[in-house]
Amino acid sequence: ETEEAAELKKQGNAAYAQNDIEEAVRLWNRAIRKHVQELSDGKSCDEEATMLEKSIYLNLAQGYLKLGDGERALRACKVVLYTDQQNAKARYRAAEACAQLERFDEAEQLLSQLELPEASKLLQRIQAKRQAQAAKDSKQEAAARKKLAAKMSAGLAGFSEDKPEPVPQEALRAPMADLGTVSNMTDVSVEAAEAAKNRLARLEAAAAGERPLPEPTYTDFESFRAKAMKRSQTYTMAAERSRKQTEASQRSVRLDWLRQGHTGHLEDFTSVLEEELHDIQAQEAEQKQAECDDLVGTGSADMDDMDEMD
């Protein structure tokens, strides 16, 4: 059974030699699965089996590096380093995988204990790649800062030549309306929104070729404002009339209660109501007296006329 796993490994090596990297990786993965199955079936995990497993994982790491899959290549190397931390080939290929993943610090740490010419060359490539990446990042950061500065300068410069001139703040300030006006502005807003909606519908219909575009119309916003002010005044007058009617009704109810002697439920307010009753009675008496005076004056004038006739 172990020979079969070794045979699959040899087939993978042959495919790798012919530059068929994907087929080589597929065969090495089959070899690993077969090897694990053999160990699960009770096969002895001797030194030969251990060496076979390491060689297959190292081959897998090399194949994944060729395919540009640094993550899987690093995992294959870590399997070997788990039991053999000083394995030079595993450390070297793990460093290559870290370089692909731009994990430069980890790559340099893996190469720090290797005394191989290849390790020195790889370390130089990693340092050059790190410097290139740093330069690229610096360039991108400078470009971003330049773009931001350009946007800020454009904002501070104000409007460009193809944009309308800014409207003075004084022209934007409208006279402050009272609360009544504000409460009735909703009707005007609804009408304006409806007009805009109808205009959009006409434009869409004209674009679809349903009917010709009508002549443009202009909304008289001064009439809208005048209408709102008129509604506000009407509302204010109605509110004032309602308030006066409410007060008159309250006085009439309290007066009826006092005249009918129903003060049992108003003990705390009896004195106040009695004073109000006296005031109302006094006003009624003055009004009646004024009417009487008018009648007397009219009667005297009639008598004088009668005397002249005699």
Side-chain angles (χ1 to χ4, degrees), residues 157-168 172:
F159 291 85
S160 59
E161 294 182 357
D162 58 343
K163 293 184 179 180
E165 292 295 329
V167 180
L172 296 177

Side-chain angles (χ1 to χ4, degrees), residues 105-257:
D105 292 338
E106 190 174 348
E108 291 178 355
Q109 184 179 2
L110 288 165
L111 294 173
S112 61
Q113 300 178 6
L114 291 181
E115 298 179 358
L116 298 173
E118 295 82 358
S120 299
K121 293 179 181 179
L122 177 59
L123 183 59
Q124 292 176 1
R125 292 200 303 269
I126 289 174
Q127 291 174 349
K129 192 173 182 180
R130 181 200 288 271
Q131 293 175 359
Q133 184 64 38
K136 181 180 178 181
D137 294 342
S138 178
K139 186 176 180 180
Q140 290 178 349
E141 184 179 355
R145 287 198 304 267
K146 183 177 180 181
K147 186 176 181 181
L148 178 61
K151 287 184 178 180
M152 294 177 64
S153 299
L156 293 175
F159 291 85
S160 59
E161 294 182 357
D162 58 343
K163 293 184 179 180
E165 292 295 329
V167 180
Q169 293 295 324
E170 291 75 8
L172 296 177
R173 297 193 184 98
M176 182 175 294
D178 57 8
L179 294 179
T181 302
V182 174
S183 64
N184 286 275
M185 286 297 285
T186 305
D187 296 335
V188 179
S189 300
V190 171
E191 293 180 9
E194 187 65 25
K197 181 179 178 181
N198 294 336
R199 179 175 177 274
L200 180 60
R202 290 195 301 272
L203 290 174
E204 292 178 350
E210 296 179 1
R211 58 189 179 88
L213 186 67
E215 291 296 326
T217 58
Y218 301 92
T219 302
D220 187 0
F221 289 100
E222 288 298 328
S223 64
F224 276 140
R225 185 172 180 275
K227 185 177 181 180
M229 295 296 293
K230 183 177 180 181
R231 290 184 179 180
S232 174
Q233 294 174 359
T234 303
Y235 172 79
T236 303
M237 293 173 61
E240 183 65 20
R241 286 197 302 270
S242 176
R243 183 184 65 79
K244 290 182 179 180
Q245 290 175 359
T246 301
E247 291 180 355
S249 176
Q250 290 176 351
R251 286 197 300 269
S252 176
V253 170
R254 287 184 297 207
L255 181 60
D256 289 342
W257 273 72

Side-chain angles (χ1 to χ4, degrees), residues 9-42:
K9 176 198 168 186
K10 290 179 181 180
Q11 293 176 15
N13 292 350
Y16 184 84
Q18 295 175 3
N19 204 30
D20 192 353
I21 310 301
E22 293 182 355
E23 178 64 15
V25 168
R26 187 185 68 83
L27 290 169
W28 289 330
N29 274 310
R30 285 185 57 193
I32 281 292
R33 288 194 292 270
K34 187 63 178 178
H35 178 67
V36 172
Q37 182 181 351
E38 292 169 357
L39 296 178
S40 300
D41 293 340

